[in-house]
Amino acid sequence: MDKFSFLGNSEIESIDQLYQSYKNDPESVEESWRQFFRGFDFATAKFPIKEQTANENIPAANTTSKEFNVMNLIHAYRQRGHLFTKTNPVRTRRKYFPTLDVENFDLSESDLETVFHAGTEIGLGASKLKDIVSHLQETYCKSIGAEYVFVRHPQMMRWLQNKMEGTKNTPDFNHEQRKHIYYHLKLAVGFENYIHKKFVGQKRFSLEGTETLIPALDAMIERGAELGVQEFIFGMAHRGRLNVLANILEKPYANIFKEFMGEEFEEDIALGDVKYHLGYGNTVKTDDGSNVKLHLAPNPSHLETVGAVVEGISRSKIDNDYAGDQDKLVPVIIHGDAAIAAQGIVYETVQMSQLTGYKTGGTIHLVINNQVGFTTNYLDARSSTYCTDVAKVTRSPVFHVNGDDVEALIFTIKLAMEYRQEFNSDVFIDILSYRKFGHNEGDEPRFTQPILYKEIAKHKNPRDIYAEFLIGKGIYTKEEITTINSEYNELLDKDFELSKTFKKVIIQPFLEDYYKNIRYSTQEDFESSPKTGVAKKTLLELAGNITNLPGDLTFFKKIGKLMTDRKNMIANDELDWAMGELLAYSSLLEEGNSVRVSGQDSERGTFSHRHAALVIENSDEKYFPLKNISGKQAPFHIYNSLLSEYGVLAFEYGYALAHPSGLTIWEAQFGDFHNVAQAVIDQYISAAEDKWGIKNGLVMYLPHGYEGQGAEHSSARMERFLTLCANNNMQIINPTTPANLFHMLRRQVKRDIRVPLICFTPKSLLRHAKCVSKMDDMANGQFQEVIDDNNIIAEEVRRVVFCSGKIYYDLLTRKEELFAQDIALVRVEQLYPFPDKQIDQILNRYPNALLHLWVQEEPENMGAWQFINYNFKNKDIKLVPVARQASGSPATGLNKIHLAGQNEIINKVFRKCNCDLKLKYCGLQCVEGSSHADILVQHEYFEEKKSKLLM
């Protein structure tokens, strides 16, 4: 708590009464007041009150009550000074009341020459009121506005106050430092001017209006390196991206120029992306000779998505490259003002910043505040006072800086860098600036902001403003400035000519050093899987390690039963889903591959199957069996995430991207909750390889299955993923056995390719008596893309039933009841890449089949049917769908209706025999049986319901 925040709305008379009470009995007032009065007594003892003479700089008599008024004034400047700054280069500031005039604090102009002890609070000692006000004005109301009094840790508050008030928030640079600043302004402005002339009308989303960002970023990197930072991870949208790539990450100018003129990408990039979405990485040398790694993550047009990706990359590197040392790497996110104020993922990302599983030691947030969003005025773009008000969620300090004042911005970003390293907290810097052109260079902004753009048209750029300042200081002459700028243009001309010699556009794969031994996938990689078994002896040892709990810890009694049940599974050689999963993790850990699982309720599992974290009884401490396998194991991390899908999925994508040797998993609470994170799926998971050449091995667990739980808890929307599939960009898997899950997870890490894996996980199958595997199934073999029926007589099979997932067990139950060996149930475990050759082998195995079905629980317009049908189009059979009736909602909300629909599906496959043969089920021999395909498309339940509604 700010030690003077309690003064804000207090009446002086009330304070005096409190003071009298304190003198009589210090314990009669609360602690905050006791501290204040102790300080006041100390001050009056040190500076005895006496009558003021003309030449004495000491407090006058009878100023006690006014001392409180001055303290109130000081607090007001700290709290509200940011509302009265000179931070807007092209607009008049909005007016706020009450002002900071001394009259609003029961002081008057006649008090300005009076000396007050309160000056000690801001480092001045006893001082005249006019000097106190001047100091506060310089500190809080010039080019830098500070919001920080909501920071409730006293040491953080005092640190900020000392840094700002001790310098009056006013930088003091020498001549050489100012020349260095101009050098970077020359780069920033000159680069934009050059492109504007060379590539007339082409989109580039220029930085013009906020070019001071470039010298600021340079200063941040320099200061960070001095404080021990070895790496920065940047995320930003399109505005100013090319300038940052060129002048901060030192991407060759010629490469950027080629992106304006290019007609073809290099071979490994299928489609590529626009130049202002591309990522890049480089190692740069600072002025003191330090090498610093810089990475700018590729991003889509979906604003702010990249922020959570950057946090995931940063955490991954902190965990795996820097042994958990947060001071070695700093994430930097550059926002737009409209986006940071309105995009919900910003809030999700900020909420992650202090959570154990997601924190990265503090992020530096920079806002390119153009004061307009596309065409929307800032007053229409948010309800909050500032676009950065989300910072107050985590009580992170916010600085508002005039974008024309490059020295103020550099001073602020250095302060932010120091604060981040000192306290591992987020910091926000709002750069009040403008956008010289419209949303892009072809847009006309005067349609919607005529007054603003009239002002912008006559406003000088930051380079020229600073050049005038330097000329006035005698640091440069006009002729020297002209020469400096001309020489830079000549350099750009040379690089422009060089770019014409390049045959193709080069896209540097992001984090390519991590993928030196990982190649792009081919179709052959998915025609058969590598052997991924683990020696049975090893599996038994691992199973023992994760089921034996330490004797000195006490757990909830049901945990004891759970472990006993798991031991019995091992003894009986019937391993359930959880054991298959846990054995996959433990075997990878033992082999040196780390595992990270993150999602809502992931530690226990939404359906209480995993229990990877065991709470010690009568405490909040947890025991993790998978962290206690052996002394040589790799790290295991599992976290219950905040209630976020968009932010957390983006974070885990970033984590996986920077750690291809580990297994990274994001788990949805229910499968269709992933649709809240659809931008991550569309822009990164499915498209990143085609756009940016990125490889990523992230695994998504999506609980899926129709069990009467309603529209939002049944389908994981398989059809949406299958629609996005092409060029081996994803793996879509719906496994039905613990062993196949085991091999799937191991395959994901053990192959020398990295492709996102979407795994539709079960719910009821977690405890289904038939859904078990033997230890030998995991010790031997590999992942099975397709599982054929082993309980048939091949030459007698008349009906081949293809299916995927839980519906198999419903069909199996009926098949076993009827002892039907002429019906083959074939499970398609890997839906994409489509296992074409395996399917052909199965079709060839059943040459006498009369009917081929695709059976699914989902409505006919959902699930895998449309995709499967497309992939069967060139085969010599007609595939007939058996599914629920097409609908807009994936499932019913009533269990009775669910059961009716489910039974109808099963009954269509095992249709009752109505002919003279009197079989247990239709064998397709009679006339009616041969018309089976027509009957399959009927939906009796819904037809009955419809007819009732029409009656």
Side-chain angles (χ1 to χ4, degrees):
M1 179 178 180
D2 175 12
K3 66 183 184 178
F4 296 111
S5 63
F6 49 80
L7 289 175
N9 298 310
S10 301
E11 296 290 340
I12 297 304
E13 292 81 358
S14 300
I15 297 174
D16 188 56
Q17 291 174 9
L18 275 175
Y19 183 55
Q20 299 305 321
S21 297
Y22 167 79
K23 288 201 293 185
N24 293 329
D25 178 12
E27 297 301 319
S28 65
V29 300
E30 68 173 336
E31 177 60 25
S32 57
W33 284 107
R34 287 200 297 273
Q35 291 178 3
F36 179 80
F37 291 137
R38 285 192 203 108
F40 179 74
D41 285 348
F42 173 80
T44 53
K46 187 173 182 179
F47 301 99
I49 296 174
K50 59 176 74 173
E51 291 294 328
Q52 183 176 347
T53 62
N55 297 319
E56 289 181 313
N57 193 30
I58 56 174
N62 302 317
T63 60
T64 302
S65 64
K66 288 193 175 184
E67 288 282 358
F68 288 108
N69 297 347
V70 177
M71 290 299 300
N72 235 345
L73 175 68
I74 292 171
H75 175 69
Y77 268 93
R78 290 170 172 171
Q79 185 180 52
R80 300 178 65 246
H82 57 86
L83 297 172
F84 306 98
T85 56
K86 299 175 177 64
T87 51
N88 201 319
V90 292
R91 272 184 165 139
T92 302
R93 284 218 60 168
R94 285 185 283 178
K95 303 298 183 184
Y96 294 94
F97 298 94
T99 67
L100 297 176
D101 295 337
V102 294
E103 288 79 8
N104 290 322
F105 299 87
D106 289 334
L107 297 165
S108 65
E109 190 172 340
S110 62
D111 294 313
L112 291 175
E113 294 295 329
T114 303
V115 174
F116 292 96
H117 288 304
T120 306
E121 173 61 20
I122 56 173
L124 295 180
S127 304
K128 291 180 179 179
L129 179 58
K130 69 176 184 180
D131 296 328
I132 294 172
V133 170
S134 174
H135 191 92
L136 293 170
Q137 279 282 328
E138 288 289 328
T139 303
Y140 293 113
C141 297
K142 290 297 179 69
S143 289
I144 302 170
E147 291 185 275
Y148 71 100
V149 296
F150 45 74
V151 177
R152 291 308 188 194
H153 295 287
Q155 70 274 25
M156 298 167 86
M157 174 89 76
R158 180 52 67 184
W159 189 94
L160 288 166
Q161 288 174 353
N162 289 342
K163 286 285 185 177
M164 292 188 291
E165 293 169 359
T167 60
K168 294 193 288 187
N169 266 343
T170 303
D172 182 19
F173 295 113
N174 60 37
H175 283 12
E176 288 307 311
Q177 289 170 326
R178 284 173 167 154
K179 287 181 177 181
H180 185 80
I181 292 170
Y182 185 78
Y183 169 81
H184 287 282
L185 278 175
K186 169 202 73 178
L187 299 181
V189 175
F191 177 78
E192 296 292 354
N193 289 346
Y194 189 85
I195 292 179
H196 190 66
K197 293 174 183 176
K198 285 292 183 183
F199 307 105
V200 178
Q202 286 207 45
K203 286 184 183 181
R204 71 181 192 275
F205 295 97
S206 81
L207 187 60
E208 287 169 276
T210 322
E211 294 98 329
T212 49
L213 176 70
I214 299 302
L217 290 176
D218 172 73
M220 178 192 71
I221 293 165
E222 294 284 348
R223 185 65 182 127
E226 293 170 358
L227 297 172
V229 178
Q230 297 178 14
E231 188 165 4
F232 290 87
I233 310 294
F234 293 89
M236 68 181 298
H238 39 280
R239 176 79 52 217
R241 188 180 190 88
L242 296 182
N243 213 316
V244 171
L245 283 166
N247 293 317
I248 296 300
L249 281 87
E250 300 178 8
K251 181 176 180 177
Y253 293 127
N255 288 18
I256 295 174
F257 295 155
K258 185 62 180 180
E259 290 163 10
F260 281 90
M261 303 181 290
E263 297 178 356
E264 186 179 0
F265 292 100
E266 57 185 351
E267 285 76 8
D268 287 338
I269 305 298
L271 298 175
D273 201 356
V274 291
K275 50 196 165 288
Y276 41 80
H277 285 174
L278 302 179
Y280 195 73
N282 201 2
T283 298
V284 302
K285 192 174 289 292
T286 64
D287 293 343
D288 68 0
S290 301
N291 289 321
V292 179
K293 297 177 184 177
L294 307 178
H295 296 282
L296 175 61
N299 76 289
S301 285
H302 292 64
L303 297 174
E304 302 294 345
T305 306
V306 74
V309 175
V310 162
E311 298 295 353
I313 294 169
S314 301
R315 176 58 182 262
S316 184
K317 283 173 161 282
I318 289 167
D319 284 349
N320 302 298
D321 296 350
Y322 296 108
D325 189 345
Q326 299 174 335
D327 292 338
K328 292 290 193 294
L329 182 148
V330 178
V332 181
I333 302 177
I334 303 173
H335 310 266
D337 54 310
I340 191 174
Q343 292 293 315
I345 192 174
V346 177
Y347 182 88
E348 295 181 38
T349 305
V350 167
Q351 279 287 18
M352 285 191 275
S353 65
Q354 295 300 319
L355 299 180
T356 301
Y358 309 91
K359 61 185 179 182
T360 55
T363 298
I364 293 180
H365 299 265
L366 302 170
V367 181
I368 297 176
N369 192 338
N370 297 149
Q371 308 183 62
V372 61
F374 204 146
T375 66
T376 303
N377 191 287
Y378 76 101
L379 292 172
D380 297 321
R382 62 179 185 266
S383 297
S384 58
T385 301
Y386 294 114
C387 63
T388 51
D389 281 351
V390 69
K392 294 166 187 175
V393 171
T394 51
R395 302 183 186 240
S396 302
V398 182
F399 300 95
H400 307 278
V401 186
N402 189 317
D404 275 356
D405 192 338
V406 64
E407 292 193 2
L409 183 56
I410 289 173
F411 174 86
T412 304
I413 206 166
K414 286 184 175 181
L415 178 67
M417 187 73 253
E418 293 166 7
Y419 182 86
R420 189 272 180 189
Q421 291 299 89
E422 182 72 21
F423 299 109
N424 291 129
S425 167
D426 284 15
V427 188
F428 289 72
I429 300 177
D430 176 20
I431 308 171
L432 271 293
S433 51
Y434 57 92
R435 189 184 67 194
K436 184 174 180 180
F437 302 105
H439 178 64
N440 59 63
E441 286 64 36
D443 189 45
E444 176 52 78
R446 288 172 294 183
F447 281 131
T448 52
Q449 276 83 28
I451 298 173
L452 174 63
Y453 273 85
K454 185 177 181 180
E455 183 66 31
I456 289 172
K458 61 186 180 183
H459 196 79
K460 292 181 179 179
N461 68 58
R463 180 197 65 183
D464 294 347
I465 292 172
Y466 198 58
E468 291 179 357
F469 171 77
L470 297 181
I471 292 168
K473 288 281 187 181
I475 297 173
Y476 280 129
T477 64
K478 288 183 179 180
E479 293 73 21
E480 287 173 324
I481 291 291
T482 300
T483 300
I484 290 170
N485 294 338
S486 297
E487 289 175 349
Y488 180 55
N489 275 332
E490 291 171 8
L491 182 151
L492 294 177
D493 279 334
K494 291 178 182 177
D495 279 301
F496 178 75
E497 294 303 317
L498 176 63
S499 71
K500 294 178 181 179
T501 66
F502 298 166
K503 294 182 178 180
K504 297 181 180 180
V505 173
I506 300 168
I507 295 182
Q508 179 198 81
F510 190 62
L511 298 179
E512 61 181 341
D513 287 349
Y514 287 80
Y515 290 85
K516 288 180 178 177
N517 299 317
I518 296 173
R519 58 183 174 81
Y520 290 106
S521 65
T522 65
Q523 187 59 39
E524 289 72 28
D525 290 314
F526 302 100
E527 291 178 356
S528 63
S529 293
K531 299 287 185 181
T532 46
V534 176
K536 189 172 183 178
K537 180 183 177 183
T538 301
L539 288 173
L540 289 169
E541 290 175 355
L542 292 171
N545 289 340
I546 62 177
T547 56
N548 289 315
L549 301 180
D552 58 337
L553 298 178
T554 303
F555 300 92
F556 179 48
K557 63 181 180 180
K558 287 188 177 180
I559 294 297
K561 182 180 183 304
L562 172 69
M563 293 303 164
T564 299
D565 290 345
R566 288 180 174 176
K567 290 176 183 178
N568 290 337
M569 289 179 201
I570 299 165
N572 297 329
D573 203 16
E574 290 187 340
L575 306 177
D576 69 358
W577 195 271
M579 282 303 294
E581 180 186 349
L582 296 174
L583 284 172
Y585 299 156
S586 58
S587 63
L588 289 171
L589 294 168
E590 189 68 1
E591 293 166 2
N593 301 107
S594 67
V595 176
R596 175 185 168 96
V597 184
S598 162
Q600 296 159 22
D601 313 301
S602 287
E603 291 181 357
R604 190 201 72 172
T606 299
F607 311 103
S608 196
H609 82 287
R610 183 175 295 123
H611 294 283
L614 308 176
V615 178
I616 299 169
E617 196 162 52
N618 298 321
S619 78
D620 293 326
E621 295 181 20
K622 298 174 183 177
Y623 175 77
F624 298 84
L626 287 167
K627 291 185 178 183
N628 293 276
I629 296 171
S630 72
K632 67 171 187 176
Q633 73 169 91
F636 173 74
H637 305 291
I638 188 164
Y639 300 105
N640 289 335
S641 76
L642 67 163
L643 197 64
S644 155
E645 290 83 25
Y646 191 176
V648 177
L649 178 58
F651 183 100
E652 299 304 338
Y653 180 88
Y655 195 100
L657 183 60
H659 190 48
S661 64
L663 179 66
T664 305
I665 299 168
W666 176 76
E667 181 175 46
Q669 189 179 62
F670 283 90
D672 74 337
F673 291 2
H674 75 76
N675 57 21
V676 182
Q678 197 65 46
V680 182
I681 296 163
D682 291 346
Q683 306 305 323
Y684 283 96
I685 291 171
S686 70
E689 186 171 317
D690 278 355
K691 291 194 294 185
W692 308 316
I694 281 179
K695 310 178 190 85
N696 193 302
L698 178 69
V699 177
M700 290 176 66
Y701 280 168
L702 303 179
H704 175 84
Y706 280 61
E707 289 139 358
Q709 295 192 53
E712 283 76 50
H713 300 95
S714 298
S715 173
R717 296 292 191 167
M718 185 183 296
E719 65 278 358
R720 294 183 177 175
F721 291 93
L722 293 171
T723 299
L724 295 170
C725 288
N727 303 323
N728 302 323
N729 62 333
M730 294 187 286
Q731 303 165 84
I732 311 298
I733 295 178
N734 195 11
T736 58
T737 72
N740 227 20
L741 173 74
F742 173 89
H743 290 295
M744 176 198 79
L745 291 170
R746 289 183 53 77
R747 183 183 78 164
Q748 185 69 357
V749 176
K750 294 303 179 181
R751 291 194 290 189
D752 61 346
I753 60 174
R754 290 294 178 271
V755 179
L757 192 162
I758 316 304
C759 177
F760 296 93
T761 55
K763 294 173 287 183
S764 62
L765 295 190
L766 297 173
R767 294 171 181 80
H768 197 289
K770 293 282 186 179
C771 186
V772 293
S773 297
K774 295 184 178 299
M775 194 71 78
D776 284 341
D777 296 333
M778 300 175 190
N780 304 304
Q782 67 272 352
F783 175 76
Q784 295 176 272
E785 291 82 4
V786 181
I787 302 178
D788 200 357
D789 199 330
N790 61 6
N791 185 25
I792 46 87
I793 302 171
E795 59 273 17
E796 294 183 9
V797 168
R798 298 292 182 269
R799 206 169 325 183
V800 180
V801 179
F802 292 97
C803 63
S804 187
K806 181 191 79 74
I807 191 69
Y808 164 76
Y809 288 96
D810 297 334
L811 294 166
L812 179 64
T813 299
R814 183 66 61 86
K815 176 180 173 173
E816 290 180 342
E817 288 173 359
L818 299 172
F819 194 64
Q821 291 188 303
D822 62 344
I823 298 177
L825 302 180
V826 180
R827 287 170 274 175
V828 182
E829 303 277 291
Q830 179 175 290
L831 294 155
Y832 188 82
F834 187 69
D836 207 56
K837 290 186 176 181
Q838 293 95 322
I839 295 292
D840 285 343
Q841 291 171 3
I842 285 171
L843 291 174
N844 292 334
R845 188 184 177 200
Y846 305 119
N848 299 320
L850 301 174
L851 184 63
H852 297 82
L853 307 178
W854 172 260
V855 180
Q856 65 180 37
E857 300 177 291
E858 301 89 347
E860 192 171 323
N861 61 321
M862 301 179 188
W865 162 240
Q866 304 293 339
F867 175 83
I868 292 293
N869 190 39
Y870 174 82
N871 281 280
F872 267 76
K873 70 180 185 298
N874 294 325
K875 303 194 183 300
D876 295 330
I877 63 159
K878 179 183 179 182
L879 193 64
V880 180
V882 179
R884 283 179 166 82
Q885 188 175 24
S887 66
S889 173
T892 178
L894 295 176
N895 191 57
K896 184 176 179 180
I897 299 176
H898 160 74
L899 292 174
Q902 200 79 358
N903 289 334
E904 187 171 86
I905 291 170
I906 304 303
N907 290 337
K908 284 180 178 179
V909 177
F910 299 96
R911 184 166 174 259
K912 184 179 179 181
C913 177
N914 294 318
C915 72
D916 294 339
L917 295 176
K918 303 299 182 185
L919 302 174
K920 290 183 179 179
Y921 55 93
C922 178
L924 307 181
Q925 295 97 328
C926 65
V927 174
E928 186 177 350
S930 64
S931 65
H932 200 100
D934 296 328
I935 297 170
L936 291 173
V937 299
Q938 299 173 12
H939 298 275
E940 295 179 6
Y941 171 78
F942 288 100
E943 291 302 321
E944 289 177 15
K945 184 176 181 181
K946 194 182 297 180
S947 65
K948 289 179 181 178
L949 290 172
L950 294 173
M951 289 176 64

